[in-house]
Amino acid sequence: MPEKAVSMSICMDNVSAAVVTHPSRFEAAVDLARKLPASVILDEGYGLTRNHLRAWRCVSVGKFGLVVQDDIAVDYDLLRKQIATYMQDPDESIATFYSVYAADLVALNSGASQRRFRGAQFRGELAVMMPQHMISEYFVWAKDNWKELDPKLKWHDFLVAKFLQATNRDVVTMLPNSVQHRNREFKSTVGHPAAPFGKERVSATYHLR
């Protein structure tokens, strides 16, 4: 599939989407990309962080960009509604459609449809959305900062967290999550355990409606 962003018709116009993937997961990524639809950004030796930056470059042609990983399950109807909500008022924040924080379940049980938290705390860039101007700013910042990360922490979600911290921005988690991590079906390509410290890396709010 060509490295060209396309409108995410399952959601709405003005959104460009990309699926980042590893060669071992290419078929799953193509299947996901066809359903969204989206471009497929294949890691052919670039490394996880650089490949995610390539994905953000790909989706920077739209008013909003959505980058997802290949190892996810998606509630497409809910995702479309949540994207529409976020686009109405992004408020200088990024949106995530997946999260593992216990606070999300507390917020959902209290009737909230989203939860805001500081960007420095952000982890897990499985399905993230930004407005175009923020993507452009991210590239400018990343050019001078991505190599400064601890080599052991050169994962894309740490880089986004550093950017959000540097620019004093928040993350909005859309609730309930419309994306789930299929971490039992897909072995981590960077050595992450499926259940670190006995806690599985999955959303507690997916399909809770």
Side-chain angles (χ1 to χ4, degrees), residues 190-204:
V190 292
H192 284 174
F197 307 107
K199 184 178 181 181
E200 194 168 5
R201 294 182 293 115
V202 295
S203 166

Side-chain angles (χ1 to χ4, degrees), residues 105-126:
L105 189 58
V106 174
L108 183 64
N109 288 336
S110 70
S113 60
Q114 55 185 249
R115 183 179 74 87
R116 180 181 291 265
F117 62 95
R118 301 303 296 164
Q121 302 170 347
F122 179 59
R123 300 292 183 273
E125 191 186 335
L126 267 73

Side-chain angles (χ1 to χ4, degrees), residues 20-90:
V20 289
T21 190
H22 185 270
S24 64
R25 300 175 176 177
F26 183 70
E27 291 185 5
V30 170
D31 181 61
L32 177 61
R34 286 172 177 162
K35 292 175 181 176
L36 287 174
S39 300
V40 174
I41 309 300
L42 179 63
D43 185 352
E44 299 178 286
Y46 298 99
L48 188 59
T49 299
R50 287 182 64 194
N51 204 45
H52 272 259
L53 287 172
R54 291 174 68 230
W56 283 113
R57 177 74 69 186
C58 180
V59 302
S60 64
V61 299
K63 290 185 178 180
F64 289 83
L66 174 69
V67 171
V68 303
Q69 288 187 191
D70 49 17
D71 56 344
I72 62 173
V74 181
D75 182 330
Y76 293 98
D77 289 338
L78 181 58
L79 177 62
R80 182 177 62 249
K81 294 174 183 177
Q82 291 179 338
I83 285 178
T85 299
Y86 170 68
M87 290 176 67
Q88 290 175 1
D89 185 20

Side-chain angles (χ1 to χ4, degrees), residues 3 15 19 61 76 80 100 114 133 143 151 161 187-189:
E3 192 178 303
V15 179
V19 180
V61 299
Y76 293 98
R80 182 177 62 249
V100 298
Q114 55 185 249
H133 75 275
K143 182 179 179 181
K187 184 178 180 180
S188 172
T189 61

